[in-house]
Amino acid sequence: MATWVHEVSVSTGSSYFLRVDSGRPDLSLGFQLLLTDGRSAWRGQVSAESLRQEASEMEMQEESYLQDLQGALTQAQSCYRFSLTPSPPEDGETLTLTYEKVQEDISFQLGSVPLQSVSNPTEEVRQLLLHSLERRSSLQDQNQRLEQENQILRREHLRASAELTVCVGGKEAWEAALFQQFVEVLNTQKALTRVLQDSVENLKQDSSEDPSAPAGDDHLREVNCEDEAQDLQAASTSSAATDDILDELLSDLTDVAPSRKRRRHLRTPAAPPPKRTDNPTKTSTPSTPPLNPSEAAGWEIDDLFEDI
């Protein structure tokens, strides 16, 4: 059961306390009213069928009508107005509570409720006060819970703000370091660009002073010098290899000359066969004419150079 209690003022200027009880917050199932001024009390009831009939007579959508009815009976907004008939009421008298909406100096009636006098108004006022106290206690508990949640959120906010400050500081330091590195790289590139520009200017000046020299002659000279150095290194390597081969050949001269001498002697005319004698054990040795030493040496040297 949903219950609302608030103070309303009627057209005569008198103030009353209005209690509304309904099975649903949107009042679609109907509601009960209790009106009291502290001494007397009046009670009335509106059914769901009466609400649909009122909406139909006003040619309004049921949802729109219920929203206006909620604003009038549960929220006590200033755009709604109440009136009692008869006014002022008397004890034991039947009253009619009328509620209407005021919009741009135009008012139209939302509905009316007949109220019957309550035989024991003191008890109704007591129940109204008890409900107000319970509502107050409930609102205090809700307010305390919201305050605790607010404190937790405040601490979380402070922690998040501190972390954000640290992150912002780290980000700024990182950006400063990156910018410093970028400046250093940029300055290096500028210096290299200036050096290259100076080199190009020097080459242009050299080519303008010596028209016969092609552009980039210094670079070509450097390349030729490198090629000559490589050629000299290759020549020295080849010369060393040749020296090693000659040393091996000269070391073998003592072995080659006798063999060539023997082959040279084989070319001389063969001696006639020895004559048989009566003694078969004795043979005559062929006599070979002696060689001139200079001739032998000449043959050996000639044969050596022929082999080489």
Side-chain angles (χ1 to χ4, degrees):
M1 179 71 69
T3 303
W4 298 270
V5 177
H6 61 274
E7 185 181 6
V8 297
S9 298
V10 297
S11 56
T12 59
S14 301
S15 295
Y16 294 86
F17 294 100
L18 179 64
R19 174 175 175 172
V20 181
D21 298 313
S22 177
R24 292 186 61 178
D26 59 356
L27 306 179
S28 60
L29 299 179
F31 53 89
Q32 295 179 355
L33 292 180
L34 177 67
L35 185 68
T36 180
D37 58 359
R39 296 188 306 270
S40 303
W42 297 266
R43 185 184 294 278
Q45 184 175 357
V46 178
S47 63
E49 183 63 27
S50 299
L51 294 177
R52 286 191 290 270
Q53 184 177 357
E54 289 285 348
S56 178
E57 291 177 357
M58 298 181 63
E59 298 181 355
M60 293 179 61
Q61 295 289 335
E62 186 175 352
E63 294 181 358
S64 300
Y65 175 75
L66 291 176
Q67 289 178 359
D68 288 336
L69 196 62
Q70 281 181 311
L73 299 178
T74 64
Q75 300 175 9
Q77 297 179 3
S78 59
C79 60
Y80 299 98
R81 187 167 57 192
F82 296 87
S83 61
L84 284 175
T85 304
S87 182
E90 295 180 1
D91 294 341
E93 189 176 17
T94 301
L95 303 177
T96 300
L97 178 65
T98 304
Y99 36 89
E100 52 188 32
K101 183 178 181 179
V102 179
Q103 186 175 3
E104 296 180 358
D105 297 334
I106 300 175
S107 63
F108 56 93
Q109 183 177 333
L110 292 175
S112 61
V113 183
L115 302 176
Q116 298 292 331
S117 178
V118 178
S119 60
N120 188 8
T122 305
E123 181 63 24
E124 296 295 336
V125 172
R126 178 176 175 275
Q127 292 296 328
L128 186 65
L129 291 174
L130 289 176
H131 173 75
S132 299
L133 292 174
E134 291 176 358
R135 179 64 177 168
R136 175 179 176 273
S137 177
S138 175
L139 291 175
Q140 284 181 345
D141 293 341
Q142 184 179 1
N143 188 25
Q144 185 178 2
R145 184 174 64 255
L146 292 175
E147 184 65 26
Q148 292 176 355
E149 293 178 357
N150 190 22
Q151 291 179 358
I152 294 174
L153 292 175
R154 188 179 294 110
R155 288 194 295 267
E156 290 292 329
H157 174 70
L158 293 176
R159 183 185 60 80
S161 298
E163 291 181 356
L164 181 62
T165 302
V166 173
C167 292
V168 169
K171 175 179 174 294
E172 291 178 352
W174 179 66
E175 288 180 349
L178 286 180
F179 183 75
Q180 182 64 29
Q181 294 178 1
F182 171 74
V183 170
E184 293 177 357
V185 172
L186 184 61
N187 291 334
T188 303
Q189 294 296 327
K190 287 183 177 180
L192 291 175
T193 303
R194 285 194 296 268
V195 170
L196 292 175
Q197 289 178 350
D198 293 340
S199 300
V200 171
E201 292 296 331
N202 292 333
L203 290 175
K204 288 182 179 180
Q205 291 178 2
D206 294 341
S207 62
S208 62
E209 292 176 358
D210 188 5
S212 61
D217 188 63
D218 293 337
H219 177 69
L220 292 176
R221 284 197 295 271
E222 292 177 359
V223 173
N224 293 332
C225 290
E226 292 178 357
D227 294 339
E228 290 176 0
Q230 293 178 0
D231 294 339
L232 289 174
Q233 184 177 0
S236 62
T237 304
S238 177
S239 177
T242 305
D243 293 340
D244 294 337
I245 293 172
L246 290 175
D247 292 338
E248 291 177 359
L249 290 174
L250 292 175
S251 64
D252 294 338
L253 285 176
T254 56
D255 297 334
V256 173
S259 62
R260 295 299 298 170
K261 182 177 180 181
R262 285 192 298 270
R263 286 197 297 270
R264 190 66 178 179
H265 286 306
L266 291 176
R267 294 193 192 103
T268 58
K275 294 180 179 181
R276 280 187 171 272
T277 58
D278 294 336
N279 191 359
T281 57
K282 291 183 180 180
T283 58
S284 60
T285 303
S287 60
T288 302
L291 294 176
N292 191 355
S294 61
E295 256 182 350
W299 291 346
E300 291 175 2
I301 294 172
D302 291 339
D303 294 338
L304 177 62
F305 280 105
E306 285 179 4
D307 291 340
I308 294 174

